[in-house]
Amino acid sequence: QVQLVESGGGLVQAGGSLRLSCAASGSFISINTIRWYRQAPGKQRELVATITSGGSTNYADFVKGRFTASRDNTKNMVYLQMNSLKPEDTAVYYCNALVLLRAFDSRSYWGQGTQVIVSS
């Protein structure tokens, strides 16, 4: 079984920063692409950032230049550094990982989410 656990959320003033972490544990061969999503109250879940196993990143337009995704494959950790936060960034943030469990068996896992609240 694979578990993803996010942490690092909290309450911050507009213009501030937070660093989210996502820790993967369990039995698997490797973690491939990892995505950060967020879901604000009453809204659909939206993709925020993608980071591949090789470290290539891609960002939604609404966070480009403010958020940075990174990962430490030796620790099975992924991070989302969020700077210049805006009230509209308020949401529950989730990590999603494509995990190679065994040969030819990859599955998608979600964390439980971490709440980010940005006050104006």
Side-chain angles (χ1 to χ4, degrees):
Q1 185 70 315
V2 175
Q3 280 195 317
L4 299 179
V5 178
E6 299 99 334
S7 61
L11 174 64
V12 63
Q13 287 189 331
S17 298
L18 283 174
R19 188 194 194 205
L20 305 184
S21 299
C22 176
S25 62
S27 178
F28 52 86
I29 296 175
S30 64
I31 301 174
N32 297 322
T33 299
I34 298 173
R35 295 178 173 88
W36 285 97
Y37 289 82
R38 70 186 187 185
Q39 187 165 20
K43 294 188 176 182
Q44 288 190 329
R45 191 170 296 189
E46 58 185 1
L47 179 62
V48 175
T50 300
I51 182 165
T52 67
S53 57
S56 297
T57 55
N58 195 28
Y59 302 95
D61 286 344
F62 51 79
V63 302
K64 276 182 182 176
R66 300 188 298 124
F67 290 12
T68 302
S70 61
R71 62 192 291 169
D72 184 339
N73 293 331
T74 65
K75 297 180 180 179
N76 294 321
M77 294 288 296
V78 62
Y79 307 98
L80 185 67
Q81 178 66 42
M82 307 187 297
N83 298 329
S84 302
L85 282 162
K86 305 174 181 180
E88 51 263 44
D89 294 319
T90 295
V92 178
Y93 284 73
Y94 300 88
C95 64
N96 169 263
L98 185 62
V99 181
L100 181 63
L101 299 179
R102 59 192 66 86
F104 309 110
D105 186 5
S106 292
R107 301 186 190 181
S108 176
Y109 292 89
W110 290 88
Q112 84 290 349
T114 186
Q115 176 74 58
V116 171
I117 300 174
V118 184
S119 63
S120 57

